[in-house]
Amino acid sequence: MRGLLATLLVSVVALTALSGCGTANSSNEPELPALPPIQHDLGPVAYRELIGDTFELLNEYWNEQANRLGETMPPPRALVSFWTRAQDKGCGGEKLGWQNAQYCWQNRTIAWDGNWVYGVLYRRLGDAAVAFLLGHEYGHMVQDELGVSSEFRHTIEAELNADCLSGAWLGAVNDQVITFDRSDYESLYDGMLEVADAYGVPWTDPSAHGTAAQRGRALLFGARHGARACINQLGPGFTA
Ligand SMILES: [Zn+2]
């Protein structure tokens, strides 16, 4: 059984090979916009490749979704893996802080605590937990691009919607370019527990992100029904 990392690598190699076939662009597909380099890209090669490949697949998937509607999905302006407090540029003047990841709409940046993502998610929980988290943050950028970010009445709606969008992406790549094995599902489940709220946090709490069950259901819904269903059924105003 291959892990998610190995399968991600295979798919990216395959995609690179495809895009390298011939010099003429025979189809009318728009060029995939380039991702920015990852700032403070530290850690073992396999970890760094997982992060890089995850963003490549996210960029490709969301561009494809946007192109179908005649739209574009510009990539994040910056990707920042911070390891020290000084490297944490934060968002709107506020530091992001440890054990956190975020999409900042002010500067269109995805940033994450490298110590946490590498040390906890990657080393203890596995590849798929990292992919889910980055897919969630990318999902916030998609919400921003769709213009729905400000329409969610409560934080938890936007958070579960981002889980759904991450699930839509994971479901699509799982069907088409990679195959999750048992360890990937375990990694996803463990990742869900790592980022979940405790039971009893009210739906209206401004910091609520959802329990593991709520977040797991949102991810599964996205994986089964796709991005459009995330917006239509888990969009602004939905309730649990
Ligand atoms: Zn979020």
Side-chain angles (χ1 to χ4, degrees):
M1 281 193 295
R2 282 191 317 219
L4 179 64
L5 171 62
T7 46
L8 279 174
L9 288 177
V10 168
S11 65
V12 169
V13 168
L15 293 170
T16 310
L18 276 177
S19 62
C21 285
T23 48
N25 185 0
S26 53
S27 71
N28 291 325
E29 296 237 333
E31 293 253 320
L32 199 59
L35 287 160
I38 296 166
Q39 295 176 34
H40 319 301
D41 181 21
L42 303 178
V45 171
Y47 166 72
R48 292 164 55 205
E49 285 179 346
L50 170 68
I51 300 268
D53 293 345
T54 296
F55 279 117
E56 293 287 345
L57 287 176
L58 281 163
N59 187 31
E60 185 180 359
Y61 171 76
W62 286 113
N63 262 285
E64 197 184 302
Q65 297 298 306
N67 291 343
R68 279 186 201 168
L69 303 171
E71 306 279 341
T72 55
M73 184 65 67
R77 211 173 290 150
L79 298 169
V80 182
S81 171
F82 63 87
W83 303 81
T84 65
R85 198 169 151 74
Q87 289 171 349
D88 176 3
K89 300 297 179 203
C91 185
E94 237 180 88
K95 293 274 184 190
L96 182 52
W98 305 122
Q99 295 180 34
N100 214 346
Q102 189 183 53
Y103 167 71
C104 180
W105 63 269
Q106 284 99 323
N107 53 17
R108 207 179 165 77
T109 292
I110 293 178
W112 60 95
D113 170 8
N115 304 288
W116 177 58
V117 173
Y118 172 68
V120 177
L121 271 68
Y122 176 74
R123 291 196 63 192
R124 290 196 207 152
L125 309 184
D127 296 354
V130 175
F132 158 68
L133 178 82
L134 299 179
H136 171 101
E137 300 311 334
Y138 218 94
H140 282 307
M141 188 184 78
V142 171
Q143 292 168 344
D144 190 24
E145 201 58 36
L146 293 174
V148 297
S149 299
S150 57
E151 292 181 21
F152 292 104
R153 285 175 305 175
H154 304 296
T155 307
I156 193 169
E157 290 172 31
E159 295 305 327
L160 294 177
N161 183 265
D163 288 340
C164 187
L165 295 173
S166 185
W169 164 66
L170 285 167
V173 292
N174 187 26
D175 276 348
Q176 290 169 16
V177 287
I178 63 172
T179 304
F180 289 169
D181 63 18
R182 193 177 137 200
S183 70
D184 294 320
Y185 285 103
E186 288 170 357
S187 171
L188 274 179
Y189 182 80
D190 293 345
M192 207 57 76
L193 291 175
E194 169 72 15
V195 296
D197 293 339
Y199 278 93
V201 177
W203 185 265
T204 53
D205 187 304
S207 69
H209 278 56
T211 62
Q214 287 170 321
R215 301 195 68 167
R217 281 201 296 269
L219 183 141
L220 199 58
F221 183 82
R224 283 192 178 150
H225 302 289
R228 191 183 292 265
C230 292
I231 300 302
N232 290 341
Q233 296 190 48
L234 267 66
F238 90 95
T239 52

